[in-house]
Amino acid sequence: MRLSISWLRFGLAVAAAIPTAARAQTPPSGQPANGLGIAPAGAGTQLPAVAAAPANADPVVGSVEGHLIYLSELGDASKTLPEDLRGMPFDTLYPVLLDRMIDHEALVIMARRAGLEQKKQVQHDIQVATERILEGAYLGEVAAPLVTEQAIQARYNRQYANRPATEEVRARHILVTSEAEARKVLEDLKKGADFATIARVLSKDPDASKGGDLGFFRREQVWPGFADVAFALQPGQVAPNPVKNEFGWHVIKVEERRLVAPPSFSDIHDQLKQELLAAAVQQTIEKARAQLAIHRFNLDGSELDTGPKLNTEAIPGR
């Protein structure tokens, strides 16, 4: 990063200017998401009252060689603060932010005077940065508006509304390499041995350290043979016969059973929003590709086959 030295100086200045106690007493506030569902850096920083005034009330707070620095630019700079400083009152950060902007303008002016804009690498880096900004701006303009509250609600209704509660069980298992070993475990359990203790000693599975505890799971989350046995047991019961798969022989015990209602709209809202956003971004990319002449080449110069087609499933509005 080409401004790393300047930013290091900025960080040290902030640390020196703000008492530790003040930092500890003003943790970052909650950060609302922008149109793309990404919380903007520095969203918790409080601007002074003048910043909320109309745009023509944006005062000049400094200048370098006649280049004016506006208050709004300090607000933008505050969004790049380290996370632990974003909740600080703007008035506290003001002098340090102003110095940072002066540093920035001074270095930019000196770089231009040194003719660095003409260097090929600098021109390349400027082009790359510009293209990344344009990419994000286009997605924000085209993809983000597709992710409406109505689309989120429709996805929730389709996937979760009116869905019955899902049954889950919490089970333990002991994995051994042979049926004879599994039968011996069953005999020991009938004689009163503790399931978790045997699992810690004998089980070959990584969860042996937890006494074979698999936690709660739904039927579709485990392989069918295991699910058939586990979901047929009541809490406290051990399956009378071991179950075999490619890993070995499993002795199964069910600890608990429960019914889990589908998540509420508020619980799943942000996840659905991100899923829809990902689909909208993909749709935007594919539409852009469809309007352009695109060729893909192997390293030997031969042309690759046409790329994968768009999967329109779950795209907003489809």
Side-chain angles (χ1 to χ4, degrees):
M1 182 177 180
R2 297 186 180 278
L3 289 179
S4 58
I5 295 176
S6 181
W7 276 116
L8 175 59
R9 177 184 171 188
F10 174 60
L12 293 174
V14 170
I18 304 171
T20 302
R23 289 201 296 271
Q25 293 168 7
T26 54
S29 62
Q31 299 176 5
N34 61 18
L36 285 175
I38 302 170
T45 302
Q46 301 298 313
L47 294 173
V50 68
N56 58 9
D58 188 11
V60 173
V61 294
S63 70
V64 180
E65 286 289 294
H67 183 98
L68 303 181
I69 301 172
Y70 293 89
L71 178 63
S72 59
E73 294 181 88
L74 269 63
D76 292 338
S78 72
K79 297 175 184 179
T80 63
L81 285 171
E83 187 173 355
D84 62 336
L85 298 177
R86 290 176 192 167
M88 293 297 301
F90 188 83
D91 289 345
T92 304
L93 297 173
Y94 175 81
V96 182
L97 288 169
L98 180 56
D99 280 343
R100 163 61 192 140
M101 289 304 301
I102 290 172
D103 289 348
H104 169 70
E105 294 298 340
L107 292 173
V108 170
I109 290 169
M110 297 306 294
R112 286 180 171 144
R113 286 183 180 179
L116 296 182
E117 282 181 300
Q118 306 307 315
K119 295 186 69 171
K120 285 187 177 181
Q121 185 61 50
V122 173
Q123 291 178 345
H124 170 76
D125 291 346
I126 291 172
Q127 180 182 349
V128 169
T130 300
E131 290 174 353
R132 286 176 178 167
I133 292 170
L134 286 171
E135 176 185 323
Y138 186 73
L139 290 174
E141 186 77 16
V142 178
L146 297 175
V147 186
T148 63
E149 284 301 310
Q150 292 81 359
I152 297 172
Q153 182 69 62
R155 189 179 181 93
Y156 176 81
N157 292 342
R158 187 168 60 251
Q159 293 187 354
Y160 297 102
N162 302 317
R163 193 181 75 182
T166 302
E167 187 177 23
E168 295 183 346
V169 301
R170 174 177 162 239
R172 296 179 187 270
H173 77 135
I174 298 169
L175 174 63
V176 291
T177 55
S178 70
E179 183 178 9
E181 288 179 278
R183 297 287 179 188
K184 176 62 167 58
V185 168
L186 287 170
E187 288 298 321
D188 290 341
L189 292 171
K190 288 179 181 178
K191 295 175 182 178
D194 180 66
F195 195 101
T197 300
I198 295 178
R200 292 188 183 95
V201 175
L202 296 180
S203 183
K204 308 300 182 184
D205 202 76
D207 54 39
S209 62
K210 299 184 294 182
D213 194 347
L214 297 169
F216 280 100
F217 55 86
R218 299 186 300 275
R219 178 179 286 273
E220 66 272 17
Q221 290 179 304
V222 295
W223 50 281
F226 194 101
D228 289 344
V229 173
F231 280 84
L233 298 173
Q234 294 303 312
Q237 288 185 330
V238 176
N241 295 299
V243 182
K244 184 180 185 297
N245 70 355
E246 66 269 28
F247 301 108
W249 293 81
H250 302 258
V251 177
I252 304 169
K253 178 183 180 182
V254 166
E255 298 284 5
E256 300 176 68
R257 298 176 71 103
R258 69 183 182 186
L259 289 175
V260 180
S264 68
F265 180 68
S266 59
D267 288 340
I268 204 74
H269 176 278
D270 291 347
Q271 177 183 321
L272 294 176
K273 182 176 182 179
Q274 289 302 316
E275 291 172 0
L276 286 172
L277 179 59
V281 167
Q282 183 63 26
Q283 175 184 343
T284 302
I285 292 170
E286 293 294 338
K287 283 187 174 180
R289 282 178 169 234
Q291 299 176 61
L292 303 170
I294 297 173
H295 299 277
R296 301 161 68 239
F297 300 96
N298 291 302
L299 292 178
D300 63 3
S302 60
E303 190 159 4
L304 285 165
D305 294 334
T306 304
K309 300 296 184 182
L310 170 63
N311 179 1
T312 60
E313 182 181 359
I315 291 177
R318 293 296 180 109

